[in-house]
Amino acid sequence: MSTLMESPDGLGRRIKAERVRRGWSLARLADASGVSRAMISKIERGESNPTALVVGKLSAALELTMTALLSPAEGGADGVRRAADTPHWTDPDTGYLRRQISTPGFPADVTEIVLPAGARVSMPAGTYAFIAQLVWVLDGELTLAEGPTSHRLTSGDTFEFGEPQAREFINDTTDECRYVVVVTRKATP
């Protein structure tokens, strides 16, 4: 199986390219994301593999979906992407695995997630500020926590996200949970 980045510093190069394309300094991206300049610098140099939370904060600041930030620029030429060529990324802290199902040119981001048993992944509200998102559980159980409210989803259940807010994806079972996330961009005010 391939990875989202061809080398360990691939994500760092992508973040730096997006930052430079906007004419942003490290300080500006740090202020916008809440991620320290030192951490961003380490990521850009390929010296640190960020967690899902950090990738979420950086993607929100850059107004990119996590998929857009993590995905290679090219897609399949004939519309077929073999399983062995499906890009993926794993959170170094939780083992949370993202497999990018759709190609960059498709009008929606379709991502398969495997959340290991006992794992919790937090995402800041800014991650959802410019997108519409639907979660569809394929196998296992997933708890979505939105502040004091929790939604327990089982195989076949879907959940459409509402207003942007911090969320936590929780698998408090002894089996992994596999779900699909479908994201579309929506206009920002």
Side-chain angles (χ1 to χ4, degrees):
M1 189 181 280
S2 70
T3 62
L4 287 173
M5 287 68 65
E6 293 300 317
S7 63
D9 63 344
L11 175 58
R13 285 193 315 266
R14 175 84 166 116
I15 290 168
K16 184 174 184 177
E18 287 296 329
R19 179 176 63 76
V20 169
R21 185 174 71 78
R22 289 166 173 75
W24 288 11
S25 65
L26 278 172
R28 179 160 181 199
L29 181 55
D31 287 344
S33 67
V35 176
S36 74
R37 288 185 335 193
M39 176 56 75
I40 295 169
S41 181
K42 283 183 177 182
I43 293 167
E44 287 186 354
R45 292 190 314 264
E47 296 173 2
S48 179
N49 186 11
T51 64
L53 178 60
V54 171
V55 173
K57 288 179 175 184
L58 293 170
S59 69
L62 295 167
E63 290 193 7
L64 294 171
T65 63
M66 285 180 67
T67 297
L69 189 59
L70 290 167
S71 292
E74 69 283 342
D78 63 359
V80 175
R81 179 188 281 162
R82 303 293 175 200
D85 298 325
T86 303
H88 71 277
W89 176 79
T90 303
D91 179 308
D93 282 356
T94 64
Y96 155 97
L97 172 69
R98 294 178 60 92
R99 285 186 58 237
Q100 189 52 41
I101 305 306
S102 59
T103 60
F106 194 72
D109 290 344
V110 181
T111 307
E112 176 190 26
I113 307 292
V114 177
L115 191 60
R120 302 171 80 96
V121 175
S122 298
M123 289 291 155
T127 306
Y128 309 102
F130 56 92
I131 63 171
Q133 181 169 321
L134 173 130
V135 171
W136 174 27
V137 176
L138 302 176
D139 298 305
E141 296 181 18
L142 176 67
T143 300
L144 290 171
E146 300 179 304
T149 305
S150 289
H151 308 279
R152 185 110 175 146
L153 306 175
T154 60
S155 184
D157 293 345
T158 62
F159 182 78
E160 292 182 33
F161 288 43
E163 290 299 312
Q165 60 182 301
R167 294 186 171 93
E168 191 170 25
F169 296 75
I170 306 163
N171 180 359
D172 56 8
T173 73
T174 57
D175 297 313
E176 72 181 19
C177 176
R178 191 169 64 94
Y179 58 97
V180 170
V181 176
V182 179
V183 172
T184 60
R185 280 189 79 81
K186 62 182 179 183
T188 55

